[in-house]
Amino acid sequence: MFRHLREDIQTIRLKDPAATSLAEVLTYAGFWAIFYHRISHRLYKKGWRFPARAISQWSRFLTNIEIHPGATIGKRFFIDHGAGVVIGETAVVGDDVLMYHQVTLGGTSLEKTKRHPTIGNNVLLGMGAKVLGNITVGDGARIGANAVVTRDVPPETSVVGVPGRILIQDGMHISERSTAQVMDQALGNADPMGEIIRRALHEIEDLKCRIETAEEDLHPERILTRLQNSVREKSLADEFEEMLNADTIIPTHRENVAGEGI
């Protein structure tokens, strides 16, 4: 217990530049939330559910951080600011995890099974992130602020957006990689919703051009112009036909002229 306590203090001073002294660290809500959780979790594992729950609720009252006594928390876990954090009963958090305020590790099932996420080691959970269901967030992953994650996240991956989508994997922006290199094509798209919007806008622009063309074709002036052109073409055709008829007479006339000359 005291070894974990010392590690928690060192972690806060390492990961938060604002923590300049031990006395200042002892004012951190995240520190006390983890401290009380380690006590309540031991009681919970021994079957002392009511005392464990009572300590958990007391910690929630003091820190505004709710960690169920059944949740498994690894070493050097740091909750920065901490307000509004919720960690469910079957959640598992690995070592060296950094979590910001308003993060939820929630469940999506009412069954008494593993229904909360498993967070790997060295994971960063941005402010307001929601990780829901019995999914796994791989080691070294980074979950962006306000992201909603409902599917497994590979290791060394950055996830952003609603729903959460992979933006960076293995230090490389996903748009620089072929979709065959990621879990599936939907996650491989750097911005799937943006791509859908771009396609929709392109189709709208195409339909707009077609409508404008149809409106121009049906405009009275356009119809009148086509009729005039049609009349003009017919007139030219008649003139051309007259010229053809005249050409059949010219050779006879030339023969007469030639005969007179002889």
Side-chain angles (χ1 to χ4, degrees):
M1 174 68 74
F2 290 105
R3 179 170 56 84
H4 287 311
L5 189 64
R6 184 165 51 252
E7 284 184 343
D8 292 338
I9 293 173
Q10 292 174 348
T11 299
I12 293 174
R13 299 193 65 176
L14 178 65
K15 294 186 176 181
D16 188 0
T20 57
S21 65
L22 174 60
E24 200 168 2
V25 169
L26 295 179
T27 65
Y28 277 50
F31 169 78
W32 290 109
I34 299 301
F35 174 77
Y36 284 119
H37 172 74
R38 298 199 190 282
I39 298 173
S40 65
H41 183 64
R42 287 195 175 189
L43 296 176
Y44 185 88
K45 289 177 66 177
K46 291 181 179 181
W48 298 349
R49 300 297 177 87
F50 178 77
R53 193 69 167 173
I55 293 174
S56 172
Q57 291 304 300
W58 173 249
S59 173
R60 179 177 182 269
F61 173 76
L62 291 178
T63 64
N64 195 24
I65 297 172
E66 182 172 349
I67 308 176
H68 193 282
T72 302
I73 305 296
K75 301 175 183 178
R76 298 175 294 278
F77 178 45
F78 177 35
I79 304 176
D80 198 1
H81 302 294
V85 166
V86 177
I87 301 177
E89 176 187 12
T90 60
V92 177
V93 179
D95 298 336
D96 301 297
V97 172
L98 174 60
M99 176 183 292
Y100 287 93
H101 53 284
Q102 297 181 340
V103 170
T104 299
L105 304 183
T108 55
S109 171
L110 298 179
E111 299 179 1
K112 293 184 179 299
T113 58
K114 178 74 167 67
R115 61 188 186 279
H116 295 91
T118 297
I119 309 299
N121 300 326
N122 298 295
V123 173
L124 184 147
L125 298 166
M127 62 193 75
K130 306 295 184 287
V131 186
L132 307 176
N134 183 19
I135 63 175
T136 299
V137 177
D139 295 346
R142 299 169 65 87
I143 309 300
N146 296 315
V148 177
V149 182
T150 57
R151 293 191 290 180
D152 289 346
V153 176
E156 303 298 333
T157 298
S158 295
V159 176
V160 298
V162 181
R165 56 190 183 274
I166 294 177
L167 182 65
I168 297 174
Q169 187 170 12
D170 296 329
M172 183 180 295
H173 196 284
I174 208 69
S175 61
E176 300 174 0
R177 305 179 56 172
S178 65
T179 54
Q181 291 178 285
V182 296
M183 276 200 310
D184 60 53
Q185 191 163 346
L187 285 177
N189 196 322
D191 189 359
M193 293 304 297
E195 182 64 23
I196 291 172
I197 292 172
R198 282 191 292 273
R199 291 180 182 178
L201 290 174
H202 180 74
E203 291 179 2
I204 291 171
E205 188 65 27
D206 184 58
L207 290 172
K208 183 179 177 181
C209 292
R210 292 184 183 183
I211 292 172
E212 289 178 353
T213 302
E215 288 178 346
E216 290 178 0
D217 290 339
L218 296 175
H219 195 278
E221 293 182 358
R222 190 68 175 269
I223 294 174
L224 180 60
T225 301
R226 287 205 301 269
L227 289 173
Q228 291 174 348
N229 292 337
S230 178
V231 171
R232 187 179 298 108
E233 290 175 359
K234 185 176 181 182
S235 176
L236 291 173
D238 292 342
E239 292 179 5
F240 183 70
E241 186 175 357
E242 291 177 0
M243 291 176 60
L244 289 176
N245 293 334
D247 286 344
T248 58
I249 301 173
I250 292 174
T252 305
H253 176 71
R254 288 178 179 175
E255 289 175 358
N256 295 335
V257 172
E260 291 177 359
I262 291 172

